[in-house]
Amino acid sequence: MVTTIQASWAAVEPHSGELARLFYGLLFERAPQTRNLFPVNMQVQRSRLLRAVVHVVQMVDRPDELAPFLSQLGRDHRKFDVIAEHYDALGSALLGAVAHFSGDAWTPAVARAWTDAYAVVSHHMRAAAAAERGPASWLGQVISHRRLGWDLAIITVQTTEPIPYSAGQYLSVETPQRPRLWRYLSPATPPRDDGTLEFHVRAVEGGWVSRAIVAHTNPGDTWRIGPPLGSLSLHPTTDRELLLIAGGTGVAPIKALLTQLVEQGGQRRTQLFLGGRTPDDLYALPELRTLSYTQPWLDIIPVLEHDHGNTGAQHGTLADAVTRYGAWVGHDVIVSGSPAMIRATVTQMLVAGTQLDQIHYDPFTMD
Ligand SMILES: Cc1cc2nc3c(=O)[nH]c(=O)nc-3n(C[C@H](O)[C@H](O)[C@H](O)COP(=O)(O)OP(=O)(O)OC[C@H]3O[C@@H](n4cnc5c(N)ncnc54)[C@H](O)[C@@H]3O)c2cc1C
Ligand code: HEM
């Protein structure tokens, strides 16, 4: 089923711009109420939803990994007030658009493969959404916005009741500056009784939401925050040594995990490789270093891609730096950063002999 879907998607992908237009056209024709869920200017999104659905549909052969993710995503989609009929409309829009661009290649076998895969995906999402009794989203107020440079800000938001996430997970947020453009951010704090959450936001080049958050967030702004997603966590049943690898703002969930370790009276020997391109990217280093002075089980190793003089950092990519030490036998490895950094690091570690089941990262990131 998956190979059939992959082959048919590869054939229509060169037309993905037009395909996306047809997809949304069909969706809004079949379920007009869903138009209001999306931003006024659809160009901005460049078909994130379509890409996400196609990405997920191509993974139905990995149900053990996919099912927990789809359950989280289904619970998350309750914030859109998505109802069962919307899933049917989206499924028929997806199949209609792919069929149109497939032409004669849209055989009964291809149609069946897409239909069955979409049915599996939407079933998981709908079932999890229907079973969930908690809030569909939370409102939070920005209580501080600290700018660390032109492209980076640390923002603290407080919700009226704590969101039930665990350290290492991520949340989708919507800000008043960019209504209906939801983006994922990873809290840098474990859940707090007072409902405060710290986020680290990097403005990316040409980024609609991240630039607005960094430049225009104000204390008092109200953010809407969706339910938790993601599978990064510390496995409390093991005391194996930990290797943490964080690039850029990927340090946020790692800081949340470290804080949790400290609060649990941390004893697990832990090494954190903290990497970036420039010294500014290592913005979290001073705070984490100070933490390591009081926690003898924790070592922080800064890594910079290029030589920036006497910074005390190792040189190279994070992948280069960690694999210099071999295969990290007996360690639990957690990798957090951009999809490209995660891909490069995991690949190089596997070549160096680290076992795949030692390495933990969020595999379903779509950016
Ligand atoms: C699981 C997860 C957790 C995340 N946690 C955080 C976090 O804690 N802090 C944070 O700042 N961001 C985080 N992100 C990234 C964030 O969700 C947004 O994707 C990012 O802020 C870009 O959004 P945008 O609207 O500004 O860019 P868009 O308008 O969506 O994209 C604009 C351009 O930037 C490119 N682009 C998108 N993302 C990146 C990137 N990360 N690096 C370089 N170029 C990019 C796009 O390809 C596009 O060309 C996380 C993403 C995921 C999937
Ligand atoms: C089975 C099906 C579905 C899957 C796998 C899915 C997946 C996703 C994912 C992963 C995102 C986040 C994209 C990103 O920011 O990277 C997203 C966003 C979104 N989804 Fe879904 N979704 C599904 C069904 C639906 C349905 C039925 C609706 C309602 C019509 C819907 C409405 C939205 C909206 C409004 C967004 C945010 C806007 C956007 O990113 O374009 N989704 N979806």
Side-chain angles (χ1 to χ4, degrees), residues 24 27 31 34 37-39 42 45 47-54 56-57 69-70 73 76-77 79-80 82-88 90-91 118 121-123 125 180-184 364 366-367:
Y24 285 111
L27 175 64
T34 61
L37 302 178
F38 294 89
M42 290 294 295
Q45 284 300 83
S47 64
R48 291 173 87 89
L49 166 62
L50 175 65
R51 277 189 293 133
V53 176
V54 170
V56 170
V57 161
F69 169 71
L70 290 175
L73 198 59
D76 174 72
H77 270 54
K79 71 190 180 208
F80 298 132
V82 181
I83 53 170
E85 291 85 86
H86 296 160
Y87 282 97
D88 297 337
L90 190 142
Y118 182 77
V121 169
S122 69
H123 168 77
M125 289 179 64
R180 300 187 209 161
L181 293 181
W182 291 82
R183 293 292 182 268
Y184 297 128
F364 291 106
M366 311 275 176
D367 279 309

Short mmCIF file of all heavy atoms in Angstrom, two decimals, residues 24 27 31 34 37-39 42 45 47-54 56-57 69-70 73 76-77 79-80 82-88 90-91 118 121-123 125 180-184 364 366-367, ligand 2:
data_model
loop_
_atom_site.label_atom_id
_atom_site.label_comp_id
_atom_site.label_asym_id
_atom_site.label_seq_id
_atom_site.Cartn_x
_atom_site.Cartn_y
_atom_site.Cartn_z
N TYR A 24 -7.52 22.56 -1.71
CA TYR A 24 -8.25 23.49 -0.85
C TYR A 24 -9.57 23.91 -1.48
O TYR A 24 -10.58 24.07 -0.79
CB TYR A 24 -7.39 24.71 -0.51
CG TYR A 24 -6.31 24.41 0.52
CD1 TYR A 24 -4.97 24.39 0.19
CD2 TYR A 24 -6.66 24.12 1.85
CE1 TYR A 24 -3.98 24.11 1.13
CE2 TYR A 24 -5.68 23.83 2.80
CZ TYR A 24 -4.34 23.83 2.44
OH TYR A 24 -3.39 23.55 3.38
N LEU A 27 -11.92 21.12 -0.81
CA LEU A 27 -12.26 21.06 0.63
C LEU A 27 -13.27 22.15 0.98
O LEU A 27 -14.28 21.88 1.64
CB LEU A 27 -10.97 21.23 1.46
CG LEU A 27 -11.17 21.30 2.98
CD1 LEU A 27 -11.75 20.00 3.52
CD2 LEU A 27 -9.83 21.60 3.69
N ALA A 31 -16.90 21.41 2.38
CA ALA A 31 -17.15 21.76 3.79
C ALA A 31 -16.82 23.24 3.97
O ALA A 31 -15.77 23.59 4.51
CB ALA A 31 -16.28 20.88 4.71
N THR A 34 -15.09 25.05 6.94
CA THR A 34 -13.67 24.87 7.30
C THR A 34 -12.82 26.04 6.80
O THR A 34 -11.70 26.22 7.27
CB THR A 34 -13.08 23.56 6.72
OG1 THR A 34 -13.16 23.62 5.29
CG2 THR A 34 -13.80 22.34 7.23
N LEU A 37 -11.15 28.23 9.34
CA LEU A 37 -10.07 27.69 10.18
C LEU A 37 -8.71 28.11 9.67
O LEU A 37 -7.72 28.08 10.38
CB LEU A 37 -10.11 26.15 10.19
CG LEU A 37 -11.41 25.48 10.65
CD1 LEU A 37 -11.27 23.98 10.54
CD2 LEU A 37 -11.69 25.88 12.09
N PHE A 38 -8.67 28.46 8.39
CA PHE A 38 -7.37 28.72 7.75
C PHE A 38 -7.13 30.22 7.66
O PHE A 38 -8.06 31.01 7.71
CB PHE A 38 -7.34 28.07 6.35
CG PHE A 38 -7.39 26.57 6.42
CD1 PHE A 38 -8.61 25.89 6.43
CD2 PHE A 38 -6.23 25.83 6.51
CE1 PHE A 38 -8.66 24.51 6.52
CE2 PHE A 38 -6.27 24.45 6.61
CZ PHE A 38 -7.49 23.79 6.61
N PRO A 39 -5.85 30.61 7.49
CA PRO A 39 -5.55 32.04 7.40
C PRO A 39 -6.24 32.68 6.21
O PRO A 39 -6.54 32.00 5.21
CB PRO A 39 -4.04 32.08 7.20
CG PRO A 39 -3.54 30.72 7.46
CD PRO A 39 -4.67 29.78 7.36
N MET A 42 -4.09 32.34 2.01
CA MET A 42 -3.65 30.94 1.99
C MET A 42 -2.23 30.77 1.46
O MET A 42 -1.59 29.75 1.70
CB MET A 42 -4.61 30.09 1.15
CG MET A 42 -5.96 29.90 1.77
SD MET A 42 -5.90 28.93 3.28
CE MET A 42 -5.36 27.35 2.66
N GLN A 45 0.56 29.91 4.01
CA GLN A 45 0.76 28.57 4.56
C GLN A 45 1.47 27.64 3.59
O GLN A 45 2.02 26.63 3.98
CB GLN A 45 -0.59 27.93 4.93
CG GLN A 45 -1.20 28.48 6.18
CD GLN A 45 -0.33 28.26 7.38
OE1 GLN A 45 0.58 29.03 7.62
NE2 GLN A 45 -0.56 27.23 8.16
N SER A 47 0.41 25.39 1.80
CA SER A 47 -0.11 24.02 1.90
C SER A 47 0.55 23.15 2.96
O SER A 47 0.90 22.01 2.72
CB SER A 47 -0.04 23.33 0.54
OG SER A 47 1.29 23.18 0.12
N ARG A 48 0.71 23.70 4.14
CA ARG A 48 1.27 22.91 5.24
C ARG A 48 0.42 21.68 5.53
O ARG A 48 0.93 20.60 5.74
CB ARG A 48 1.35 23.75 6.53
CG ARG A 48 2.36 24.85 6.48
CD ARG A 48 2.23 25.71 7.73
NE ARG A 48 3.03 25.21 8.84
CZ ARG A 48 4.28 25.55 9.06
NH1 ARG A 48 4.89 26.37 8.25
NH2 ARG A 48 4.93 25.06 10.10
N LEU A 49 -0.91 21.91 5.58
CA LEU A 49 -1.79 20.79 5.93
C LEU A 49 -1.68 19.69 4.88
O LEU A 49 -1.55 18.51 5.22
CB LEU A 49 -3.24 21.30 6.05
CG LEU A 49 -4.32 20.22 6.09
CD1 LEU A 49 -4.14 19.31 7.29
CD2 LEU A 49 -5.71 20.86 6.12
N LEU A 50 -1.72 20.08 3.58
CA LEU A 50 -1.64 19.06 2.53
C LEU A 50 -0.33 18.27 2.65
O LEU A 50 -0.33 17.04 2.62
CB LEU A 50 -1.74 19.73 1.15
CG LEU A 50 -1.54 18.76 -0.03
CD1 LEU A 50 -2.66 17.73 -0.08
CD2 LEU A 50 -1.49 19.52 -1.35
N ARG A 51 0.77 18.99 2.84
CA ARG A 51 2.06 18.30 2.95
C ARG A 51 2.05 17.35 4.16
O ARG A 51 2.56 16.24 4.10
CB ARG A 51 3.20 19.32 3.11
CG ARG A 51 3.68 19.90 1.79
CD ARG A 51 4.94 20.71 1.98
NE ARG A 51 4.68 21.91 2.76
CZ ARG A 51 5.41 22.32 3.80
NH1 ARG A 51 6.45 21.64 4.20
NH2 ARG A 51 5.11 23.43 4.45
N ALA A 52 1.46 17.85 5.25
CA ALA A 52 1.43 17.04 6.48
C ALA A 52 0.62 15.77 6.26
O ALA A 52 1.05 14.67 6.63
CB ALA A 52 0.85 17.86 7.63
N VAL A 53 -0.55 15.91 5.62
CA VAL A 53 -1.40 14.73 5.44
C VAL A 53 -0.70 13.72 4.53
O VAL A 53 -0.66 12.52 4.82
CB VAL A 53 -2.79 15.13 4.87
CG1 VAL A 53 -3.62 13.89 4.58
CG2 VAL A 53 -3.53 16.04 5.82
N VAL A 54 -0.08 14.21 3.44
CA VAL A 54 0.58 13.29 2.50
C VAL A 54 1.75 12.59 3.20
O VAL A 54 1.96 11.38 3.06
CB VAL A 54 1.04 14.06 1.25
CG1 VAL A 54 1.93 13.19 0.38
CG2 VAL A 54 -0.17 14.52 0.45
N VAL A 56 2.07 11.92 6.37
CA VAL A 56 1.58 10.94 7.34
C VAL A 56 1.00 9.71 6.63
O VAL A 56 1.24 8.57 7.03
CB VAL A 56 0.53 11.60 8.27
CG1 VAL A 56 -0.17 10.57 9.11
CG2 VAL A 56 1.20 12.65 9.15
N VAL A 57 0.26 9.96 5.56
CA VAL A 57 -0.38 8.85 4.83
C VAL A 57 0.68 7.88 4.30
O VAL A 57 0.46 6.67 4.22
CB VAL A 57 -1.26 9.43 3.69
CG1 VAL A 57 -1.57 8.39 2.64
CG2 VAL A 57 -2.56 9.98 4.27
N PHE A 69 1.38 9.15 17.65
CA PHE A 69 1.48 10.50 17.09
C PHE A 69 0.11 10.97 16.58
O PHE A 69 -0.31 12.11 16.84
CB PHE A 69 2.50 10.51 15.95
CG PHE A 69 2.49 11.78 15.14
CD1 PHE A 69 2.97 12.96 15.68
CD2 PHE A 69 2.00 11.78 13.84
CE1 PHE A 69 2.94 14.14 14.93
CE2 PHE A 69 1.98 12.96 13.09
CZ PHE A 69 2.45 14.12 13.64
N LEU A 70 -0.60 10.08 15.88
CA LEU A 70 -1.91 10.47 15.34
C LEU A 70 -2.91 10.74 16.46
O LEU A 70 -3.77 11.62 16.33
CB LEU A 70 -2.45 9.39 14.41
CG LEU A 70 -1.69 9.25 13.08
CD1 LEU A 70 -2.23 8.07 12.28
CD2 LEU A 70 -1.79 10.53 12.26
N LEU A 73 -2.17 14.16 17.56
CA LEU A 73 -2.58 15.12 16.54
C LEU A 73 -4.10 15.28 16.52
O LEU A 73 -4.63 16.38 16.35
CB LEU A 73 -2.09 14.62 15.18
CG LEU A 73 -2.02 15.60 14.03
CD1 LEU A 73 -1.10 16.77 14.35
CD2 LEU A 73 -1.53 14.89 12.76
N ASP A 76 -5.02 17.37 19.35
CA ASP A 76 -4.60 18.74 19.01
C ASP A 76 -5.61 19.40 18.07
O ASP A 76 -5.92 20.58 18.22
CB ASP A 76 -3.22 18.67 18.35
CG ASP A 76 -2.75 20.02 17.82
OD1 ASP A 76 -2.41 20.87 18.65
OD2 ASP A 76 -2.73 20.22 16.60
N HIS A 77 -6.13 18.65 17.10
CA HIS A 77 -7.05 19.23 16.12
C HIS A 77 -8.40 19.64 16.72
O HIS A 77 -9.18 20.33 16.06
CB HIS A 77 -7.27 18.26 14.95
CG HIS A 77 -6.28 18.46 13.84
ND1 HIS A 77 -4.93 18.44 14.06
CD2 HIS A 77 -6.45 18.71 12.51
CE1 HIS A 77 -4.31 18.66 12.92
NE2 HIS A 77 -5.19 18.82 11.96
N LYS A 79 -8.76 21.81 18.80
CA LYS A 79 -8.73 23.27 18.95
C LYS A 79 -9.32 23.96 17.71
O LYS A 79 -9.68 25.12 17.76
CB LYS A 79 -7.29 23.75 19.20
CG LYS A 79 -6.42 23.64 17.96
CD LYS A 79 -4.97 23.87 18.23
CE LYS A 79 -4.20 23.73 16.92
NZ LYS A 79 -2.84 23.31 17.07
N PHE A 80 -9.39 23.24 16.57
CA PHE A 80 -9.99 23.81 15.36
C PHE A 80 -11.51 23.57 15.29
O PHE A 80 -12.13 23.91 14.30
CB PHE A 80 -9.39 23.16 14.10
CG PHE A 80 -7.92 23.35 13.92
CD1 PHE A 80 -7.09 22.28 13.62
CD2 PHE A 80 -7.36 24.61 14.01
CE1 PHE A 80 -5.73 22.45 13.42
CE2 PHE A 80 -6.00 24.80 13.81
CZ PHE A 80 -5.19 23.73 13.52
N VAL A 82 -12.74 20.73 14.71
CA VAL A 82 -12.90 19.84 13.57
C VAL A 82 -13.91 18.75 13.95
O VAL A 82 -13.81 18.18 15.03
CB VAL A 82 -11.56 19.17 13.19
CG1 VAL A 82 -11.74 18.26 11.99
CG2 VAL A 82 -10.50 20.22 12.90
N ILE A 83 -14.89 18.50 13.09
CA ILE A 83 -15.86 17.44 13.37
C ILE A 83 -15.67 16.31 12.36
O ILE A 83 -14.98 16.47 11.35
CB ILE A 83 -17.32 17.97 13.34
CG1 ILE A 83 -17.57 18.71 12.03
CG2 ILE A 83 -17.60 18.86 14.53
CD1 ILE A 83 -19.03 19.06 11.80
N ALA A 84 -16.32 15.17 12.64
CA ALA A 84 -16.07 13.97 11.83
C ALA A 84 -16.27 14.23 10.34
O ALA A 84 -15.47 13.78 9.51
CB ALA A 84 -16.99 12.84 12.31
N GLU A 85 -17.31 15.01 9.99
CA GLU A 85 -17.58 15.25 8.55
C GLU A 85 -16.43 15.99 7.86
O GLU A 85 -16.22 15.84 6.67
CB GLU A 85 -18.86 16.08 8.35
CG GLU A 85 -20.14 15.36 8.70
CD GLU A 85 -20.46 15.46 10.18
OE1 GLU A 85 -21.07 16.44 10.58
OE2 GLU A 85 -20.08 14.55 10.94
N HIS A 86 -15.69 16.80 8.63
CA HIS A 86 -14.56 17.50 8.02
C HIS A 86 -13.49 16.51 7.55
O HIS A 86 -12.83 16.72 6.54
CB HIS A 86 -13.93 18.50 9.00
CG HIS A 86 -14.85 19.61 9.38
ND1 HIS A 86 -14.67 20.37 10.51
CD2 HIS A 86 -15.99 20.08 8.79
CE1 HIS A 86 -15.62 21.28 10.59
NE2 HIS A 86 -16.44 21.11 9.57
N TYR A 87 -13.32 15.45 8.34
CA TYR A 87 -12.33 14.44 7.93
C TYR A 87 -12.75 13.78 6.61
O TYR A 87 -11.93 13.53 5.74
CB TYR A 87 -12.17 13.36 9.02
CG TYR A 87 -11.30 13.82 10.17
CD1 TYR A 87 -11.86 14.32 11.33
CD2 TYR A 87 -9.92 13.75 10.08
CE1 TYR A 87 -11.06 14.75 12.38
CE2 TYR A 87 -9.11 14.18 11.13
CZ TYR A 87 -9.69 14.67 12.28
OH TYR A 87 -8.90 15.09 13.31
N ASP A 88 -14.08 13.54 6.48
CA ASP A 88 -14.54 12.92 5.22
C ASP A 88 -14.33 13.88 4.05
O ASP A 88 -13.87 13.49 2.98
CB ASP A 88 -16.04 12.56 5.32
CG ASP A 88 -16.28 11.53 6.41
OD1 ASP A 88 -15.31 10.81 6.74
OD2 ASP A 88 -17.40 11.46 6.95
N LEU A 90 -12.12 16.29 3.86
CA LEU A 90 -10.69 16.42 3.57
C LEU A 90 -10.19 15.20 2.78
O LEU A 90 -9.43 15.32 1.83
CB LEU A 90 -9.89 16.58 4.87
CG LEU A 90 -8.43 16.96 4.65
CD1 LEU A 90 -7.98 17.95 5.73
CD2 LEU A 90 -7.51 15.76 4.68
N GLY A 91 -10.69 14.00 3.18
CA GLY A 91 -10.28 12.78 2.48
C GLY A 91 -10.70 12.83 1.04
O GLY A 91 -9.92 12.52 0.13
N TYR A 118 -5.75 6.69 4.11
CA TYR A 118 -6.39 7.87 4.72
C TYR A 118 -7.39 7.43 5.79
O TYR A 118 -7.51 8.07 6.85
CB TYR A 118 -7.08 8.74 3.66
CG TYR A 118 -7.69 9.97 4.31
CD1 TYR A 118 -6.88 11.04 4.68
CD2 TYR A 118 -9.04 10.02 4.63
CE1 TYR A 118 -7.41 12.15 5.33
CE2 TYR A 118 -9.58 11.12 5.28
CZ TYR A 118 -8.77 12.17 5.63
OH TYR A 118 -9.29 13.26 6.29
N VAL A 121 -5.48 6.71 8.98
CA VAL A 121 -4.99 7.94 9.63
C VAL A 121 -6.15 8.69 10.28
O VAL A 121 -6.09 9.07 11.46
CB VAL A 121 -4.29 8.83 8.57
CG1 VAL A 121 -4.01 10.21 9.12
CG2 VAL A 121 -2.98 8.17 8.11
N SER A 122 -7.23 8.90 9.53
CA SER A 122 -8.31 9.71 10.09
C SER A 122 -9.01 8.95 11.22
O SER A 122 -9.46 9.56 12.19
CB SER A 122 -9.28 10.18 9.01
OG SER A 122 -9.99 9.11 8.51
N HIS A 123 -9.05 7.62 11.14
CA HIS A 123 -9.67 6.86 12.23
C HIS A 123 -8.94 7.12 13.55
O HIS A 123 -9.56 7.39 14.58
CB HIS A 123 -9.67 5.36 11.92
CG HIS A 123 -10.02 4.53 13.12
ND1 HIS A 123 -11.31 4.41 13.57
CD2 HIS A 123 -9.22 3.85 14.00
CE1 HIS A 123 -11.31 3.66 14.69
NE2 HIS A 123 -10.05 3.32 14.96
N MET A 125 -7.06 9.64 14.42
CA MET A 125 -7.22 11.03 14.89
C MET A 125 -8.61 11.25 15.46
O MET A 125 -8.77 11.84 16.52
CB MET A 125 -6.94 12.01 13.74
CG MET A 125 -5.47 12.07 13.36
SD MET A 125 -5.11 13.19 12.00
CE MET A 125 -5.55 14.79 12.67
N ARG A 180 -4.54 32.44 13.34
CA ARG A 180 -4.74 31.20 12.55
C ARG A 180 -3.46 30.65 11.95
O ARG A 180 -3.52 29.73 11.14
CB ARG A 180 -5.76 31.41 11.44
CG ARG A 180 -7.12 31.81 11.98
CD ARG A 180 -8.11 31.84 10.86
NE ARG A 180 -9.15 32.80 11.13
CZ ARG A 180 -9.96 33.31 10.22
NH1 ARG A 180 -9.85 32.93 8.96
NH2 ARG A 180 -10.89 34.16 10.56
N LEU A 181 -2.32 31.19 12.31
CA LEU A 181 -1.05 30.55 11.89
C LEU A 181 -0.48 29.89 13.14
O LEU A 181 0.14 30.55 13.97
CB LEU A 181 -0.06 31.57 11.33
CG LEU A 181 -0.42 32.25 10.01
CD1 LEU A 181 0.67 33.20 9.57
CD2 LEU A 181 -0.65 31.22 8.93
N TRP A 182 -0.74 28.62 13.27
CA TRP A 182 -0.26 27.87 14.44
C TRP A 182 1.15 27.38 14.17
O TRP A 182 1.46 26.94 13.06
CB TRP A 182 -1.16 26.67 14.69
CG TRP A 182 -2.53 27.03 15.17
CD1 TRP A 182 -3.59 27.42 14.40
CD2 TRP A 182 -2.99 27.05 16.51
NE1 TRP A 182 -4.67 27.66 15.19
CE2 TRP A 182 -4.35 27.44 16.49
CE3 TRP A 182 -2.39 26.75 17.75
CZ2 TRP A 182 -5.10 27.55 17.66
CZ3 TRP A 182 -3.15 26.86 18.90
CH2 TRP A 182 -4.49 27.26 18.85
N ARG A 183 2.01 27.47 15.18
CA ARG A 183 3.37 26.94 15.04
C ARG A 183 3.73 26.17 16.31
O ARG A 183 3.25 26.48 17.39
CB ARG A 183 4.40 28.06 14.86
CG ARG A 183 4.30 28.82 13.56
CD ARG A 183 4.66 27.97 12.34
NE ARG A 183 4.61 28.73 11.10
CZ ARG A 183 3.53 28.83 10.32
NH1 ARG A 183 2.40 28.20 10.62
NH2 ARG A 183 3.59 29.53 9.21
N TYR A 184 4.63 25.18 16.14
CA TYR A 184 5.06 24.39 17.28
C TYR A 184 6.19 25.10 18.02
O TYR A 184 7.14 25.61 17.39
CB TYR A 184 5.59 23.03 16.81
CG TYR A 184 4.53 22.18 16.14
CD1 TYR A 184 4.77 21.62 14.88
CD2 TYR A 184 3.32 21.92 16.76
CE1 TYR A 184 3.82 20.83 14.26
CE2 TYR A 184 2.36 21.13 16.14
CZ TYR A 184 2.61 20.59 14.90
OH TYR A 184 1.67 19.81 14.30
N PHE A 364 8.42 12.87 13.87
CA PHE A 364 7.33 13.31 12.99
C PHE A 364 7.30 14.82 12.79
O PHE A 364 6.25 15.39 12.62
CB PHE A 364 5.99 12.82 13.54
CG PHE A 364 5.86 11.35 13.42
CD1 PHE A 364 5.97 10.55 14.53
CD2 PHE A 364 5.69 10.76 12.19
CE1 PHE A 364 5.87 9.18 14.42
CE2 PHE A 364 5.60 9.39 12.06
CZ PHE A 364 5.70 8.60 13.19
N MET A 366 7.53 18.14 10.77
CA MET A 366 7.14 18.31 9.36
C MET A 366 7.85 19.46 8.66
O MET A 366 7.64 19.67 7.48
CB MET A 366 5.64 18.60 9.26
CG MET A 366 4.81 17.67 10.05
SD MET A 366 4.48 16.19 9.11
CE MET A 366 3.60 15.26 10.33
N ASP A 367 8.57 20.30 9.40
CA ASP A 367 9.14 21.49 8.74
C ASP A 367 10.18 21.11 7.72
O ASP A 367 10.90 20.15 7.91
CB ASP A 367 9.72 22.45 9.76
CG ASP A 367 8.63 23.29 10.39
OD1 ASP A 367 7.84 23.86 9.63
OD2 ASP A 367 8.55 23.31 11.63
C1 HEM B 2 -6.28 12.79 8.66
C2 HEM B 2 -6.04 13.81 8.57
C3 HEM B 2 -5.19 14.99 9.04
C4 HEM B 2 -3.84 15.05 9.29
C5 HEM B 2 -2.80 13.93 9.20
C6 HEM B 2 -3.56 16.42 9.66
C7 HEM B 2 -2.30 16.89 9.99
C8 HEM B 2 -2.00 18.20 10.28
C9 HEM B 2 -0.72 18.68 10.72
C10 HEM B 2 0.50 17.81 10.99
C11 HEM B 2 -0.82 20.02 10.82
C12 HEM B 2 0.29 20.97 11.25
C13 HEM B 2 1.06 21.42 10.04
C14 HEM B 2 2.28 22.18 10.40
O1 HEM B 2 2.15 23.25 10.98
O2 HEM B 2 3.40 21.70 10.15
C15 HEM B 2 -2.16 20.40 10.51
C16 HEM B 2 -2.65 21.67 10.52
C17 HEM B 2 -3.96 22.00 10.32
N1 HEM B 2 -5.00 21.13 10.08
FE1 HEM B 2 -4.88 19.16 9.93
N2 HEM B 2 -4.71 17.14 9.63
C18 HEM B 2 -5.74 16.30 9.26
C19 HEM B 2 -7.07 16.62 9.14
C20 HEM B 2 -7.58 17.89 9.24
C21 HEM B 2 -8.97 18.24 9.05
C22 HEM B 2 -10.10 17.24 8.73
C23 HEM B 2 -9.07 19.58 9.21
C24 HEM B 2 -10.30 20.43 9.11
C25 HEM B 2 -10.76 20.78 8.00
C26 HEM B 2 -7.72 20.09 9.50
C27 HEM B 2 -7.41 21.41 9.70
C28 HEM B 2 -6.14 21.87 9.93
C29 HEM B 2 -5.84 23.28 10.09
C30 HEM B 2 -6.84 24.43 10.03
C31 HEM B 2 -4.47 23.36 10.32
C32 HEM B 2 -3.66 24.64 10.60
C33 HEM B 2 -3.51 25.46 9.41
C34 HEM B 2 -2.42 24.96 8.52
O3 HEM B 2 -1.36 24.56 9.05
O4 HEM B 2 -2.62 24.99 7.30
N3 HEM B 2 -6.86 19.03 9.51
N4 HEM B 2 -2.88 19.26 10.18
#
